[in-house]
Amino acid sequence: MRPTTLIATLALILGAHTALAQNGHAMNDQTHPAHHRGTVVTVQGEGEVRLTPDRAAVTIGVSAQAKTAEEAQKQVNRAMDRVLRDVKALELPGELLTTSGISLFPVYENRPRQMGGEAQEPRIIAYRASNTVRVRLDDVARVGEVIDAATAAGSNTIQGVQFMLQDENAAKLDALRDAVAKARTKADTIANAMGRSVETVLDVSEGGVRTPIYPQRGQEMFAARAMMDDAGTPVEAGEIVVTAMLSMTVRLAD
């Protein structure tokens, strides 16, 4: 091999090794990014919003028992027709009626074991039918009116009342804003105590937003109505507390 050819070959080999080394170094930089410099602090923020419910849902129903399944179902159908008619006549704002349950099942009687004999099979003595409807309305002050109209028309079961918000998303966002503000206040307080200041926010992680729905049991409704005689059913909506949690990581200035 001529000297000039050997020199050219060595130059190509050295160039290839240099390129591979540079590429490998670049790949390492992408895989292992540089760590944040300075003091890093992580704080928790819990925000809340308290609001008066502006939407409610009451579940009312009719149940009946008869010798035959057909008669039990007919009794329930007739009573529920009257209940729906009278509730619709109230012309409630935001009214939405939804059937939430229909059932029909036999009622059994356990027969005693004969002396010295085998246990006897239970026998059907009647049938029980039921129909429940969920009534949603956007005026919580009229919940008692719905219950009174339904029971007067033939409803004999009330499964409870739920209070909620029409615009739940807006309440959740307000709770998140409050959580961010409280987390930042914590970070600033820690920084000031150390004689430092917050340079920048590195990360915010949402921990979830909770909007509870407060139910009032049907037994309480019937008890209150019985105590009030001819007066309307008293209903207190109370307030709904929407909470939000988050974690905030900040870097302190040197």
Side-chain angles (χ1 to χ4, degrees):
M1 182 179 293
R2 295 179 180 178
T4 54
T5 304
L6 178 60
I7 293 172
T9 303
L10 289 173
L12 288 173
I13 293 173
L14 289 173
H17 277 291
T18 302
L20 286 173
Q22 290 175 346
N23 289 338
H25 183 66
M27 290 177 63
N28 286 336
D29 285 345
Q30 293 175 1
T31 306
H32 304 287
H35 294 290
H36 296 298
R37 296 178 180 178
T39 303
V40 174
V41 175
T42 299
V43 294
Q44 308 298 319
E46 180 177 357
E48 72 172 31
V49 177
R50 294 177 176 269
L51 299 169
T52 300
D54 56 7
R55 172 170 287 174
V58 55
T59 302
I60 55 181
V62 176
S63 63
Q65 185 169 307
K67 289 291 185 181
T68 66
E70 182 182 10
E71 180 57 30
Q73 191 64 54
K74 283 182 177 179
Q75 290 182 25
V76 167
N77 292 345
R78 287 194 292 265
M80 184 54 78
D81 283 342
R82 294 193 301 269
V83 170
L84 293 177
R85 179 199 63 203
D86 289 1
V87 170
K88 290 178 180 178
L90 297 176
E91 297 182 350
L92 303 166
E95 177 189 278
L96 178 63
L97 278 70
T98 307
T99 298
S100 57
I102 295 178
S103 66
L104 175 65
F105 55 88
V107 178
Y108 292 93
E109 178 185 59
N110 292 323
R111 294 188 288 177
R113 181 192 297 269
Q114 297 294 331
M115 184 176 296
E118 296 182 355
Q120 300 185 71
E121 290 289 333
R123 65 177 180 179
I124 297 175
I125 59 172
Y127 289 86
R128 189 165 191 82
S130 67
N131 189 333
T132 55
V133 173
R134 184 176 185 266
V135 183
R136 194 197 73 184
L137 63 155
D138 291 343
D139 186 353
V140 296
R142 299 186 67 183
V143 170
E145 187 180 348
V146 173
I147 295 171
D148 294 338
T151 53
S155 174
N156 54 11
T157 61
I158 299 178
Q159 295 184 3
V161 177
Q162 291 180 325
F163 297 105
M164 59 201 84
L165 301 171
Q166 294 183 38
D167 193 351
E168 185 177 306
N169 288 332
K172 289 180 177 180
L173 293 177
D174 287 341
L176 277 173
R177 292 187 187 96
D178 188 46
V180 170
K182 288 179 177 176
R184 181 56 192 259
T185 298
K186 284 185 178 181
D188 288 334
T189 300
I190 293 172
N192 291 336
M194 298 172 62
R196 310 273 287 279
S197 62
V198 174
E199 180 180 84
T200 186
V201 176
L202 299 176
D203 181 68
V204 176
S205 177
E206 182 185 351
V209 181
R210 180 171 175 266
T211 307
I213 297 177
Y214 296 98
Q216 189 167 3
R217 292 176 295 180
Q219 298 93 319
E220 296 171 351
M221 294 291 181
F222 271 120
R225 193 172 192 275
M227 293 175 62
M228 297 296 289
D229 295 328
D230 294 333
T233 301
V235 176
E236 293 294 335
E239 66 178 6
I240 291 179
V241 181
V242 182
T243 58
M245 297 286 296
L246 59 82
S247 175
M248 178 183 291
T249 301
V250 301
R251 182 171 62 220
L252 304 186
D254 293 331

